[in-house]
């Protein structure tokens, strides 16, 4: 029994999808330039597709699971479950107005022409805010629509905002924060659920590892108590005696988020020779 995974063939999600599988120890055998590939060391078969088609393929059972942006999942509204947030492909679906205009709230949209590739999500937003506007669906280069007189406003994906800026537009209001997610069909065979659990366990340990650093430091024994109190660690830190009498080496794991703060406190508490090492996998 194999699990069939659909990922983007090429584009913004492709490289991160492949990298995540690699970091999860999954080797993709016969290259990624085809429509399909098989993992050589995990019961996974890969399909390379346009991102827009992935929810449909998963609903139909051509693929069992997929990596795709939430923006696409919610726009397509297929019968699929969002099983896991993958943490890459982060972007926002936002309204953008001409740079000399001021977005004053949902009513600003009333009666306007909105160009977007996301008519379903935009209509949802309009309905929720009880506003009527004219949606023009276009499939690409939405940002040029106001400049050529096709629309007053656009609703499009933004990450840095530089594309908007280059087209004389500015971001006005976000209607969805998006990232790549793992979607699945509701009804997988029990053996496939087991494979999916194994895959998610691996992905989770890769993600956890990225959020943490392994720290080694030297400390005089009379400062150990203070230093240990600063270190969270997975259980408690490892203490090893150094060859120099009265000194120990302390090993621990620190979260990326409060990393610098803890390092500064450690130095003040008398820690020396601090080494910080990336963690490849983290299994708790
Ligand atoms: P395909 O040929 O597969 O249809 P595409 O042109 O629709 O590709 P990409 O531009 O590669 O798609 O974007 C794929 C996904 O990457 C988007 O649906 C979104 O989830 C995510 N993404 C992240 N940042 C951005 C961004 N700044 N602009 C557009 N998409 C982004
Ligand atoms: Zn697409």
């Amino acid at each position: 029994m194999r699990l069939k995974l659909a990922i983007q063939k090429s584009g913004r999600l492709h490289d991160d999808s492949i990298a995540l599988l690699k970091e999860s120890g999954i080797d993709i055998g016969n290259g990624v330039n085809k429509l399909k590939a098989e993992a050589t060391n995990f019961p996974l078969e890969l399909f390379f597709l346009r991102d827009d088609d992935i929810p449909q393929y998963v609903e139909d059972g051509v693929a069992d699971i997929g990596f795709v942006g939430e923006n696409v999942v919610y726009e397509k509204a297929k019968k699929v479950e969002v099983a896991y947030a993958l943490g890459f492909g982060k972007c926002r679906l936002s309204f953008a107005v001409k740079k000399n205009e001021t977005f004053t709230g949902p009513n600003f949209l009333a009666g306007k022409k909105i160009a977007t590739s996301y008519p379903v999500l935009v209509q949802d937003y309009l309905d929720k805010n009880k506003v009527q506007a004219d949606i023009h669906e276009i499939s690409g280069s939405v940002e040029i629509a106001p400049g050529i007189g096709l629309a007053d406003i656009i609703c499009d994906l933004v990450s840095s905002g530089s594309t908007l800026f280059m087209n004389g537009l500015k971001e006005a209001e976000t209607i969805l924060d998006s990232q790549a997610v793992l979607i699945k069909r509701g009804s997988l065979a029990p053996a496939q659920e087991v494979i999916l659990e194994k895959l998610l366990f691996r992905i989770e340990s890769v993600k956890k590892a990225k959020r943490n650093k392994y720290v080694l430091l030297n400390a005089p024994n009379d400062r150990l108590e203070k230093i240990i109190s600063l270190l969270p660690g997975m259980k408690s830190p490892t203490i090893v005696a150094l060859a120099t009498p009265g000194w120990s080496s302390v090993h621990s794991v620190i979260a990326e988020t409060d990393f610098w703060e803890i390092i500064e406190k450690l130095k003040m508490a008398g820690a020396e020779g601090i080494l910080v090492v990336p963690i490849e996998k983290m299994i708790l």
Side-chain angles (χ1 to χ4, degrees):
M1 181 68 91
R2 288 183 165 269
L3 196 63
K4 290 174 284 180
L5 165 64
I7 64 168
Q8 193 187 24
K9 182 171 172 53
S10 65
R12 291 173 194 265
L13 301 180
H14 176 84
D15 290 352
D16 285 335
S17 301
I18 295 287
L20 181 59
L21 292 173
K22 281 222 173 94
E23 288 165 341
S24 302
I26 295 169
D27 287 330
I28 297 140
N30 46 359
V32 296
N33 294 322
K34 300 179 187 158
L35 178 66
K36 277 184 5 171
E38 271 186 27
T40 51
N41 59 354
F42 195 82
L44 195 72
E45 192 173 349
L46 265 89
F47 287 77
F48 304 106
L49 301 168
R50 286 202 57 197
D51 65 344
D52 314 68
D53 298 333
I54 291 176
Q56 181 76 63
Y57 279 111
V58 170
E59 181 185 286
D60 291 346
V62 175
D64 303 305
I65 60 172
F67 291 174
V68 66
E70 286 172 288
N71 51 307
V72 171
V73 179
Y74 301 135
E75 176 67 24
K76 300 293 175 190
K78 299 292 174 193
K79 281 198 214 82
V80 296
E81 290 170 18
V82 172
Y84 191 81
L86 294 167
F88 59 84
K90 288 192 176 161
C91 59
R92 318 178 281 284
L93 182 62
S94 294
F95 286 109
V97 298
K98 291 176 191 151
K99 64 169 184 272
N100 58 351
E101 287 177 336
T102 310
F103 181 84
T104 48
N107 279 328
F108 182 81
L109 301 168
K112 298 250 162 71
K113 271 193 197 166
I114 306 169
T116 187
S117 306
Y118 295 88
V120 172
L121 292 173
V122 171
Q123 191 61 57
D124 269 1
Y125 177 89
L126 295 176
D127 291 348
K128 272 194 199 113
N129 289 286
K130 301 192 172 58
V131 174
Q132 299 226 343
D134 188 7
I135 298 176
H136 277 246
E137 181 177 356
I138 41 181
S139 60
S141 303
V142 173
E143 65 282 354
I144 66 168
I148 58 173
L150 187 69
D152 307 303
I153 293 172
I154 67 165
C155 189
D156 202 9
L157 297 175
V158 187
S159 46
S160 69
S162 59
T163 309
L164 294 180
F165 183 79
M166 285 189 295
N167 286 279
L169 302 171
K170 64 180 183 194
E171 192 173 359
E173 161 110 325
T174 297
I175 67 172
L176 176 75
D177 280 303
S178 181
Q179 63 172 299
V181 289
L182 186 151
I183 55 167
K184 61 175 282 230
R185 207 155 19 94
S187 55
L188 292 184
Q192 290 180 315
E193 289 283 2
V194 173
I195 301 170
L196 176 57
E197 252 170 58
K198 282 189 185 161
L199 177 65
L200 285 175
F201 178 77
R202 291 189 185 198
I203 292 175
E204 177 65 13
S205 20
V206 171
K207 273 185 54 178
K208 250 189 232 137
K210 283 192 178 156
R211 289 196 297 262
N212 291 277
K213 300 277 179 231
Y214 192 75
V215 177
L216 303 91
L217 58 87
N218 295 333
N221 287 345
D222 58 352
R223 305 282 174 79
L224 273 180
E225 206 175 325
K226 172 72 185 157
I227 285 173
I228 291 168
S229 74
L230 296 170
L231 290 167
M234 282 168 77
K235 277 215 166 63
S236 65
T238 308
I239 315 285
V240 188
L242 290 186
T244 316
W247 281 77
S248 298
S249 169
V250 181
H251 303 196
S252 188
V253 172
I254 301 185
E256 186 89 287
T257 44
D258 34 39
F259 175 75
W260 286 111
E261 206 183 317
I262 293 181
I263 294 291
E264 276 159 25
K265 285 185 185 157
L266 288 170
K267 278 179 68 184
M268 287 198 324
E272 292 179 12
I274 305 174
L275 290 182
V276 180
V277 188
I279 300 170
E280 195 175 307
K281 309 276 187 304
M282 199 161 144
I283 293 145
L284 301 178

